[in-house]
Amino acid sequence: MSEESYVVTVEPPSRKRIAKATVVALVIAGILLVTAILPAEYGIDPLGTGKALHLTDLAKAGAARVPEKAAPSASSESTEPPATIVPVLEPASDGSAPTVKGTFIAQRRGYKVDSREIKLKAGEGTEIKYNMRKGAGLIYSWTASDKLLFEFHGEPNVKPAGKSATDYYETYEIDNQAGKNEGHGTFVAPSSGIHGWFWENKTPNEVTLKMVSAGFYDWIFLNRDNKETAVKTMDPDVIPSHPKVPDEPLR
């Protein structure tokens, strides 16, 4: 059987066809420009198609956009301390020990301490919150004789727009399913306001809750049996000194 070879010859388009295609493309582009692009981008609607297709609304919306706010000047910045600790290492130019900035948040006065023990009946809840300024720190430990449901939250003094007349709060940690019998940590207030916990005893037995804290707070908010109370804090300087005990070497 003989094999035959086939050669396919592709002829390039003629100049006449190229010119015709170019004219068609220019006509289509012109139609799109007049009927869609000009009404949508610039509000120019010579044929009325932009209004019919609601394209002129896009141009109006773009013109009505609020310009971005300029960066605040140094004089308009908040006088509140930062709410985070971000260490930054700065090497010394003379080769000595480097400086680490952003390791602490200075406070205006000494810290306070507080220790409380509350017994919660079955189905009973209680709330303890601390009035703190933005950037104030709190070291805490709470323990319970059984698992408690809880929510760690805060109520900022300055609330978002539209929330000033509502019971607005922000949640930091929540466990309303399994519950826990202890919690320990260090908290830095993200805003000035009251920050703390609500616990609820969902067990059939009485649960003893112990809360110990030390931090930069001005007063403590208590809520139990729908009775809200503001109580004073304890200054560590008034705590009786502990009896002296010999040091016990760890190793």
Side-chain angles (χ1 to χ4, degrees):
M1 180 180 294
S2 61
E3 296 182 357
E4 298 182 359
S5 300
Y6 296 92
V7 178
V8 179
T9 303
V10 179
E11 296 182 359
S14 64
R15 293 183 178 180
K16 183 177 180 180
R17 292 177 62 184
I18 294 175
K20 184 179 179 180
T22 302
V23 171
V24 172
L26 290 174
V27 171
I28 294 175
I31 293 173
L32 291 175
L33 176 66
V34 175
T35 60
I37 298 176
L38 289 178
E41 293 292 335
Y42 305 101
I44 302 174
D45 190 19
L47 301 180
T49 55
K51 183 177 182 181
L53 298 175
H54 301 286
L55 296 176
T56 52
D57 294 340
L58 298 176
K60 293 178 182 179
R65 288 174 187 165
V66 179
E68 295 183 0
K69 293 182 179 179
S73 60
S75 60
S76 63
E77 292 180 354
S78 174
T79 56
E80 287 191 309
T84 56
I85 294 178
V86 183
V88 177
L89 181 67
E90 295 185 357
S93 59
D94 58 358
S96 59
T99 300
V100 182
K101 295 186 176 180
T103 58
F104 69 94
I105 301 175
Q107 303 297 325
R108 55 199 175 95
R109 60 179 61 146
Y111 71 93
K112 306 294 182 179
V113 295
D114 187 68
S115 178
R116 299 183 182 277
E117 181 176 313
I118 299 175
K119 295 186 181 297
L120 298 176
K121 300 176 182 179
E124 187 179 11
T126 190
E127 192 171 22
I128 298 178
K129 287 188 284 193
Y130 303 86
N131 183 62
M132 306 171 64
R133 295 198 173 204
K134 178 181 177 182
L138 174 73
I139 299 175
Y140 65 87
S141 283
W142 65 266
T143 57
S145 57
D146 204 341
K147 290 185 176 180
L148 295 173
L149 306 185
F150 73 93
E151 181 177 25
F152 183 22
H153 60 279
E155 298 180 33
N157 292 338
V158 180
K159 298 175 173 56
K163 301 291 185 178
S164 58
T166 64
D167 186 17
Y168 175 82
Y169 63 93
E170 299 168 343
T171 297
Y172 308 135
E173 182 185 13
I174 185 171
D175 188 339
N176 55 12
Q177 298 296 326
K180 291 183 179 180
N181 60 359
E182 63 180 332
H184 318 278
T186 302
F187 169 73
V188 178
S191 61
S192 296
I194 53 175
H195 312 268
W197 291 262
F198 171 77
W199 296 274
E200 187 174 12
N201 178 16
K202 285 294 187 179
T203 73
N205 306 313
E206 183 178 79
V207 175
T208 300
L209 169 67
K210 296 180 180 180
M211 178 70 183
V212 179
S213 67
F216 297 94
Y217 42 78
D218 297 319
W219 48 270
I220 301 173
F221 169 87
L222 300 179
N223 184 5
R224 189 174 186 185
D225 298 327
N226 293 322
K227 183 180 179 181
E228 299 179 353
T229 308
V231 297
K232 292 182 178 181
T233 62
M234 182 180 293
D235 193 313
D237 291 338
V238 303
I239 299 176
S241 61
H242 292 280
K244 294 182 178 180
V245 294
D247 291 334
E248 182 180 350
L250 295 177
R251 58 181 179 180

